[in-house]
């Protein structure tokens, strides 16, 4: 399986305002997008995994901690799996690319944070590729 990837963008600020861009972000695989605005910084949304679905996360406001785990067996994943911890912030022009075969969880670290998520599957396809695990299943620093 492939590992997650950070796609770096850039910012340009002038008297007209701020422009944030990702010229190397290839969007040809994307079927849909949605935005999540957590109700508080105490809310942890974890763990959701996909065998087939790829996702791209972009924090356009505030900041998030995102934990990723490459799943060894979706029916009975090992308790010994160790998550990778990534921080996304509106201050950094970065998109997190999560390949298929991973479970993810995230938590806003600032109030009013917003996370835009892109997916390569339609909503119906994603529903058939959805694996949920309890937040306590793997230790993670949120």
């Amino acid at each position: 399986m492939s590992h997650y990837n950070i796609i770096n963008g850039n910012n340009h600020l002038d008297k007209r305002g701020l422009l944030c861009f990702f010229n190397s972000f290839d969007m040809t695989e994307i079927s849909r997008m949605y935005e999540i605005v957590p109700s508080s910084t105490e809310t942890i949304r974890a763990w959701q995994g996909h065998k087939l679905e790829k996702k791209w996360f972009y924090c356009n406001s505030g900041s998030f901690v995102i934990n990723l785990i490459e799943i060894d067996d979706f029916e009975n994943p090992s308790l010994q799996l160790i998550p990778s911890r990534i921080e996304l912030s509106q201050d950094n022009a970065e998109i997190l690319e999560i390949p298929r075969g991973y479970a993810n969880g995230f938590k806003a670290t600032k109030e009013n944070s917003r996370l835009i998520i892109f997916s390569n599957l339609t909503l119906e396809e994603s529903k058939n590729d959805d694996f949920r695990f309890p937040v306590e299943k793997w230790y993670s620093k949120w």
Side-chain angles (χ1 to χ4, degrees):
M1 260 184 228
S2 60
H3 284 24
Y4 68 87
N5 183 37
I6 299 290
I7 300 166
N8 291 303
N10 215 330
N11 294 318
H12 174 74
L13 179 64
D14 64 21
K15 65 183 179 183
R16 298 169 294 173
L18 177 66
L19 173 67
C20 184
F21 54 92
F22 297 90
N23 293 338
S24 65
F25 181 31
D26 181 357
M27 299 176 73
T28 56
E29 291 183 79
I30 294 172
S31 295
R32 65 188 171 98
M33 66 157 293
Y34 53 97
E35 182 179 48
I36 294 178
V37 183
S39 57
S40 82
T41 57
E42 300 302 313
T43 303
I44 299 172
R45 295 176 68 111
W47 295 96
Q48 181 177 10
H50 301 283
K51 287 183 183 179
L52 304 174
E53 187 172 11
K54 285 178 66 176
K55 291 188 176 184
W56 295 262
F57 287 11
Y58 171 62
C59 175
N60 67 330
S61 181
S63 60
F64 286 85
V65 167
I66 300 164
N67 281 291
L68 307 173
I69 295 179
E70 188 172 9
I71 301 297
D72 57 351
D73 177 354
F74 276 88
E75 302 308 319
N76 187 26
S78 169
L79 295 176
Q80 307 307 312
L81 299 176
I82 299 171
S84 296
R85 185 177 190 272
I86 295 103
E87 294 182 35
L88 292 181
S89 168
Q90 71 180 32
D91 299 331
N92 298 320
E94 296 177 327
I95 294 173
L96 170 63
E97 180 180 9
I98 305 171
R100 57 185 50 96
Y102 275 74
N104 71 75
F106 54 88
K107 177 181 176 295
T109 56
K110 290 184 181 176
E111 292 295 332
N112 302 312
S113 293
R114 302 172 87 87
L115 190 63
I116 294 177
I117 301 171
F118 302 92
S119 169
N120 70 322
L121 297 184
T122 67
L123 183 57
E124 286 305 311
E125 291 169 329
S126 181
K127 286 179 183 177
N128 295 322
D129 184 42
D130 188 40
F131 295 85
R132 305 282 175 132
F133 307 101
V135 70
E136 309 84 25
K137 187 156 185 84
W138 298 286
Y139 171 77
S140 298
K141 184 178 176 189
W142 300 102

